[in-house]
Amino acid sequence: MATLREIRRRINSIKSTQQITRAMKMVAAAKLRKAQESILAARPYARKIDEMIRHLIVQLEISGLPLLAVRPPQRVTLVVVTGDRGLCGSFNSNIIKKVLQQIETHRDKEVSLVCIGKKGYDFFRKRGYQIDNKYIQIFNQLEYLHAQQITEYMVEQYIAEKTDLVEVVYNEFKNAVQQFAVVEKYLPLTAEEFEGELKNVSYLYEPDKLSLLNALLPKHLNLQTWRILLESNAAEQGARMTAMENATENASEIIDDLTLHYNKTRQAAITKEISEIVGGAEALKSA
Amino acid sequence: MNNYLTVSITTPQKKRVFEGVSSCTAPGTKGSFQILVDHAPLLSQLEIGEIKLESDKGLERYSTSGGFLEVLKNNVSLLLESCEKAEEIDVERAKSALERARKRMQEKSADLDIRRAEAALLRALNRIRIAGKVR
């Protein structure tokens, strides 16, 4: 049986936890809004670049381009996109689970990892997986530059034939309460991936078409990376918001239970005291 | 008859549209070039440099670190990785980027890093130069 003071202390400690979770929820909600805005802002750019690539790709013999070259996959690189911090429900563990599955399906090949986000990096480093590169603590201040750096690295790896297939595992942002861990092929690119209407215009090209296309493809990849980072960021904030909302609710529940328990214990103590006094008085009277 | 260009500048962060532009100057791979009304359809790659837009409101300058330009029926679409208005350039940040790039070039590690540092150096110099024109 806990004493009154102990119960009071527990109630206070849970109340302060609740304050923290409530604050975290509100911060996550604000960040989520910002993250969603960035996703929307990136769309016109994506559409335009897809349109240009498609326009060029249909006019060209594309087999010579290194980023479009399909090789039989012997070495596979998995890009693992997790968050830098925990306290966001199953956000990180879903990714890790998915990656482990994916490693299993590529069992007969050589698999290496590129970790974006501290959580995934810590997990796979501790277990001795081969990690080629890592980008941690970028989600605090996400910038387009990060996407460019990551893309540049992946493109170099692919062109140098250090890897034959690049897949990204990340959380797709469905809405504030739903996010799915998905596996997406990143490299090599295929012509079908590009959307956009076809324009039948004869342009002047500067420099020539092939150089243009060669310059456009990395930009397209930059943008893919950027989109993935943004999606994952939005999903993380969404997951954290939901998790923290649940935590706040649970805290309320515990506080209610404890308060009830506290009052009952207090009542019992008072009753006990009264009956002791009454009993004592009775004893004195009869004596 | 429309005697003006409509210029849209699209970056991954933002899309801006300018109406009533009479001339647009951009840094092509073979040097800076100017687009006037009724230009032939064009698709061009852009380098690090300066973009100038002339309209009734006067001349506006932007810095860019490269991208693409498309001209089609008096619509100029600029697709840029980064684009800042000259007045809004963060000169302090550019200066520190310049410092960093210089240092890295002196240290001289792998070829790759040198190339990156060079690109960073050019970007920073470009920003400082353009910011200097309006201050």
Side-chain angles (χ1 to χ4, degrees):
Chain A
M1 194 66 185
T3 65
L4 280 179
R5 197 192 304 176
E6 273 167 15
I7 301 176
R8 204 160 42 216
R9 205 176 284 156
R10 270 201 74 193
I11 292 181
N12 281 334
S13 111
I14 290 171
K15 268 190 187 151
S16 55
T17 309
Q18 190 187 27
Q19 263 169 6
I20 296 169
T21 56
R22 193 177 287 144
M24 280 181 81
K25 183 194 131 189
M26 285 193 289
V27 171
K31 283 191 180 166
L32 173 66
R33 196 157 340 117
K34 237 172 102 190
Q36 272 175 298
E37 273 165 23
S38 331
I39 293 183
L40 289 183
R43 279 200 189 138
Y45 186 86
R47 206 168 308 133
K48 194 79 203 170
I49 216 158
D50 271 5
E51 202 179 284
M52 280 189 185
I53 292 178
R54 205 169 155 78
H55 172 84
L56 286 168
I57 258 179
V58 290
Q59 299 197 5
L60 283 167
E61 188 61 48
I62 54 162
S63 54
L65 288 168
L67 288 176
L68 293 158
V70 182
R71 298 191 285 266
Q74 273 162 0
R75 269 160 307 182
V76 181
T77 306
L78 291 175
V79 183
V80 183
V81 190
T82 59
D84 285 320
R85 285 187 284 173
L87 287 183
C88 42
S90 55
F91 177 82
N92 291 320
S93 52
N94 278 350
I95 292 295
I96 287 168
K97 241 181 276 168
K98 199 85 178 179
V99 171
L100 291 175
Q101 266 175 32
Q102 207 58 21
I103 290 175
E104 193 58 24
T105 49
H106 291 306
R107 206 175 3 190
D108 47 339
K109 298 152 205 151
E110 205 181 300
V111 181
S112 62
L113 303 174
V114 172
C115 294
I116 304 173
K118 192 163 171 298
K119 283 283 157 181
Y121 173 65
D122 285 347
F123 180 90
F124 290 106
R125 190 198 43 184
K126 268 181 211 142
R127 282 157 188 79
Y129 286 88
Q130 195 202 325
I131 297 174
D132 286 348
N133 206 345
K134 64 173 200 298
Y135 299 89
I136 56 179
Q137 305 290 6
I138 62 166
F139 287 105
N140 272 338
Q141 258 205 319
L142 202 54
E143 278 181 52
Y144 194 66
L145 189 69
H146 294 130
Q148 285 172 314
Q149 286 167 350
I150 295 166
T151 311
E152 202 178 326
Y153 174 76
M154 294 318 305
V155 167
E156 266 158 26
Q157 292 285 306
Y158 194 80
I159 290 180
E161 306 202 0
K162 284 183 184 142
T163 179
D164 306 312
L165 176 68
V166 182
E167 288 179 333
V168 189
V169 187
Y170 71 103
N171 271 297
E172 194 182 36
F173 176 78
K174 190 89 185 157
N175 55 45
V177 284
Q178 274 182 304
Q179 50 283 142
F180 298 109
V182 291
V183 183
E184 206 172 271
K185 197 180 76 172
Y186 185 77
L187 278 170
L189 291 166
T190 42
E192 295 84 55
E193 280 171 42
F194 303 104
E195 309 164 0
E197 58 198 288
L198 277 181
K199 278 192 230 152
N200 244 332
V201 188
S202 49
Y203 284 96
L204 304 168
Y205 297 96
E206 193 203 300
D208 57 301
K209 290 178 195 172
L210 195 68
S211 321
L212 263 176
L213 189 57
N214 255 328
L216 269 163
L217 288 175
K219 310 271 159 166
H220 169 78
L221 282 173
N222 273 344
L223 203 79
Q224 291 302 316
T225 318
W226 178 234
R227 184 188 53 97
I228 287 166
L229 291 181
L230 289 177
E231 290 242 9
S232 175
N233 190 28
E236 183 185 344
Q237 301 308 338
R240 178 163 297 125
M241 201 175 89
T242 324
M244 287 302 114
E245 181 154 4
N246 288 340
T248 311
E249 251 168 54
N250 288 345
S252 294
E253 248 169 62
I254 296 178
I255 290 172
D256 284 351
D257 285 354
L258 279 176
T259 311
L260 187 69
H261 186 58
Y262 175 77
N263 286 336
K264 272 187 184 163
T265 317
R266 191 173 59 99
Q267 195 69 58
I270 293 170
T271 313
K272 200 176 133 209
E273 260 176 50
I274 290 177
S275 64
E276 270 167 12
I277 293 168
V278 172
E282 284 296 317
L284 278 178
K285 212 190 276 169
S286 56
Chain B
M1 206 28 224
N2 196 349
N3 286 318
Y4 291 109
L5 298 164
T6 304
V7 178
S8 61
I9 297 184
T10 318
T11 64
Q13 279 92 15
K14 207 171 170 184
K15 183 175 181 175
R16 282 179 273 208
V17 179
F18 304 87
E19 305 273 354
V21 176
S22 54
S23 136
C24 167
T25 311
T29 41
K30 292 176 201 151
S32 195
F33 61 91
Q34 187 179 29
I35 310 278
L36 295 172
V37 176
D38 291 334
H39 196 286
L42 168 76
L43 206 57
S44 170
Q45 196 182 342
L46 301 183
E47 297 281 317
I48 298 172
E50 179 184 20
I51 290 166
K52 285 191 267 188
L53 299 179
E54 253 184 279
S55 65
D56 310 337
K57 285 175 257 164
L59 178 70
E60 286 185 65
R61 295 169 190 275
Y62 293 86
S63 78
T64 180
S65 53
F68 301 90
L69 176 142
E70 183 195 39
V71 187
L72 191 63
K73 296 177 195 150
N74 286 332
N75 280 308
V76 182
S77 321
L78 289 147
L79 209 54
L80 307 173
E81 297 249 294
S82 80
C83 173
E84 290 127 27
K85 200 170 178 184
E87 287 83 357
E88 289 161 12
I89 293 173
D90 189 343
V91 181
E92 285 312 307
R93 192 176 148 179
K95 276 184 182 155
S96 65
L98 184 68
E99 256 338 283
R100 253 199 327 274
R102 282 225 170 96
K103 214 176 275 170
R104 219 174 303 158
M105 285 178 79
Q106 275 161 8
E107 277 166 18
K108 187 161 131 73
S109 37
D111 308 341
L112 186 79
D113 283 350
I114 292 289
R115 226 186 55 223
R116 265 186 210 157
E118 253 171 29
L121 189 81
L122 288 176
R123 282 199 301 270
L125 280 175
N126 179 52
R127 287 205 171 99
I128 294 169
R129 186 174 63 88
I130 292 167
K133 285 187 181 178
V134 293
R135 257 159 246 198

